[in-house]
């Protein structure tokens, strides 16, 4: 197969109505999978692909026609400046969640601390936190054994020895006063939310929660008081419009509201509470 910019744009035009986002994803795919950069495309009239390269290019178009996100096609996603293995067993990391790591950095939360990442998924939060201080002892829990398999791949890739995986439903099974910090990015989307149609390839159990999206948040807040040490901290990501509901939930648990972190759109996205 011969390719050049004209041929590639023609393929995108025929199959995706000239969608520029698809073309951008295609150029990223070409670089990461086939080793062909934009500079290569523009500096050469034609590039000849071998059989395997042609098959990989066809595979890209087949998967994009199924609306599979590029991160799942590449089996890779970036989070806080590092690459992580991901597949459809776990959520694609979001840039809003990076604000949790930034909060730790800016507030210089360091030293010997027991930290729980509840609902770890790919492990990107726990791993990113682990890089900040090797004095941390991190526990990454998830009820999904499939998700823990992905997290294990990433822990091995990043060669970290201060993270321990455990299969657990949220905070159940942990001892009283076990943690200095509990972090969680739980499911918080309502069951019939219109946004779900665009997330069809991501695991539904990691997206949707009962009780108008607040069911898992209520369970985490309720149990956090027990598993946190005195003056321990809960760091909880939630929906862009849920901060007031989360505050009301906290008021029933004994935890004390500390502050919220706004996302890049100015929404209150992460709530911090203490025991």
């Amino acid at each position: 197969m011969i390719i050049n910019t004209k041929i590639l744009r023609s393929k995108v035009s025929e199959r995706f109505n000239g969608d520029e986002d698809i073309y951008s994803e295609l150029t990223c795919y070409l670089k990461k999978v086939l080793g062909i950069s934009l500079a290569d495309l523009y500096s050469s009239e034609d590039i000849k692909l071998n059989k395997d390269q042609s098959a990989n290019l066809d595979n890209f178009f087949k998967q994009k026609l199924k609306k599979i996100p590029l991160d799942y096609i590449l089996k890779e996603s970036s989070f806080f400046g590092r690459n992580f293995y991901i597949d459809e067993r776990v959520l694609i990391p979001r840039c809003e969640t990076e604000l949790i790591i930034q909060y730790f950095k800016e507030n210089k939360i360091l030293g010997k601390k027991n930290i729980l990442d509840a609902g770890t998924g790919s492990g990107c939060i726990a791993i990113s936190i682990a890089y900040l201080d090797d004095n941390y002892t991190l526990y990454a829990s998830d009820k999904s054994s499939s998700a823990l398999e992905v997290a294990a791949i990433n822990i091995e890739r990043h060669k970290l020895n201060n993270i321990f995986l455990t299969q657990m439903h949220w905070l159940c099974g942990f001892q009283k006063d076990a943690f200095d910090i509990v972090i969680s990015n739980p499911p918080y989307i309502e069951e019939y939310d219109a946004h779900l149609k665009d997330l069809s390839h991501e695991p539904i159990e990691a997206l949707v929660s009962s009780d108008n999206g607040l069911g898992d948040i209520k369970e985490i807040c309720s149990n956090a008081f027990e598993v946190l040490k005195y003056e321990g901290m809960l760091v909880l990501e939630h929906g862009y419009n849920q901060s007031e509901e989360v505050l009301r939930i906290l008021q029933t648990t004994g935890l004390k509201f500390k502050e919220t972190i706004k996302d890049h759109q100015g929404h209150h996205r992460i709530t911090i509470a203490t025991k």
Side-chain angles (χ1 to χ4, degrees):
M1 180 189 293
I2 300 294
I3 63 167
N4 55 43
T5 54
K6 184 177 179 180
I7 289 171
L8 292 175
R9 284 201 172 275
S10 176
K11 287 180 178 290
V12 172
S13 180
E14 290 170 6
R15 304 181 191 193
F16 305 98
N17 298 316
D19 190 328
E20 280 298 316
D21 289 338
I22 297 293
Y23 187 75
S24 294
E25 290 189 352
L26 172 58
T27 57
C28 179
Y29 180 85
L30 288 171
K31 183 176 181 180
K32 286 183 174 289
V33 177
L34 305 186
I36 299 169
S37 68
L38 273 174
D40 296 328
L41 288 170
Y42 284 109
S43 63
S44 174
E45 284 192 13
D46 295 316
I47 295 175
K48 186 174 182 179
L49 302 183
N50 61 36
K51 186 177 179 180
D52 287 341
Q53 288 175 317
S54 298
N56 278 325
L57 183 58
D58 287 340
N59 182 57
F60 170 84
F61 286 118
K62 287 176 183 176
Q63 294 194 75
K64 289 311 299 182
L65 285 168
K66 296 177 183 177
K67 299 185 177 180
I68 296 175
L70 180 63
D71 298 61
Y72 287 147
I73 297 174
L74 294 173
K75 297 289 190 287
E76 181 180 276
S77 193
S78 177
F79 183 80
F80 210 75
R82 295 184 177 91
N83 290 330
F84 293 85
Y85 172 85
I86 65 159
D87 58 32
E88 293 186 26
R89 291 174 287 181
V90 297
L91 291 181
I92 297 170
R94 267 58 168 186
C95 60
E96 293 88 355
T97 306
E98 294 181 341
L99 295 170
I100 294 174
I101 319 303
Q102 192 64 39
Y103 180 82
F104 271 68
K105 286 192 69 175
E106 290 177 354
N107 289 274
K108 295 183 171 61
I109 301 172
L110 303 170
K112 291 186 177 181
K113 298 184 186 303
N114 285 344
I115 302 174
L116 171 64
D117 174 23
T120 195
S122 65
C124 64
I125 296 176
I127 289 167
S128 299
I129 293 289
Y131 270 109
L132 299 179
D133 191 338
D134 56 15
N135 289 305
Y136 293 151
T137 299
L138 281 125
Y139 297 85
S141 71
D142 207 294
K143 68 178 180 180
S144 167
S145 58
S146 296
L148 289 173
E149 289 169 1
V150 176
I153 291 170
N154 283 315
I155 291 170
E156 174 61 28
R157 279 191 173 191
H158 288 269
K159 306 298 181 187
L160 294 164
N161 57 15
N162 58 339
I163 303 179
F164 302 92
L165 294 176
T166 180
Q167 188 169 4
M168 198 78 70
H169 178 67
W170 297 129
L171 313 184
C172 297
F174 291 109
Q175 293 182 348
K176 182 178 173 63
D177 303 331
F179 298 106
D180 297 283
I181 302 171
V182 171
I183 304 166
S184 190
N185 176 20
Y188 50 72
I189 300 177
E190 295 182 48
E191 185 177 359
Y192 300 107
D193 192 295
H195 296 94
L196 290 172
K197 70 181 188 304
D198 299 318
L199 304 171
S200 59
H201 292 279
E202 301 195 59
I204 191 70
E205 65 276 8
L207 292 167
V208 171
S209 186
S210 62
D211 198 2
N212 297 316
L214 295 166
D216 291 292
I217 288 174
K218 287 180 177 179
E219 183 173 348
I220 292 165
C221 290
S222 176
N223 293 331
F225 188 85
E226 290 297 313
V227 304
L228 282 170
K229 298 177 182 179
Y230 176 65
E231 296 188 339
M233 183 168 64
L234 172 65
V235 182
L236 181 70
E237 182 173 337
H238 47 73
Y240 73 95
N241 59 351
Q242 292 176 329
S243 62
E244 290 186 6
E245 289 288 348
V246 170
L247 179 57
R248 282 193 280 270
I249 292 166
L250 287 173
Q251 289 169 345
T252 69
T253 65
L255 294 172
K256 294 172 286 190
F257 169 79
K258 183 180 180 184
E259 61 184 302
T260 58
I261 302 170
K262 291 182 180 180
D263 63 21
H264 303 297
Q265 286 73 48
H267 299 125
H268 294 279
R269 178 67 70 165
I270 296 162
T271 293
I272 316 291
T274 58
K275 179 172 176 178

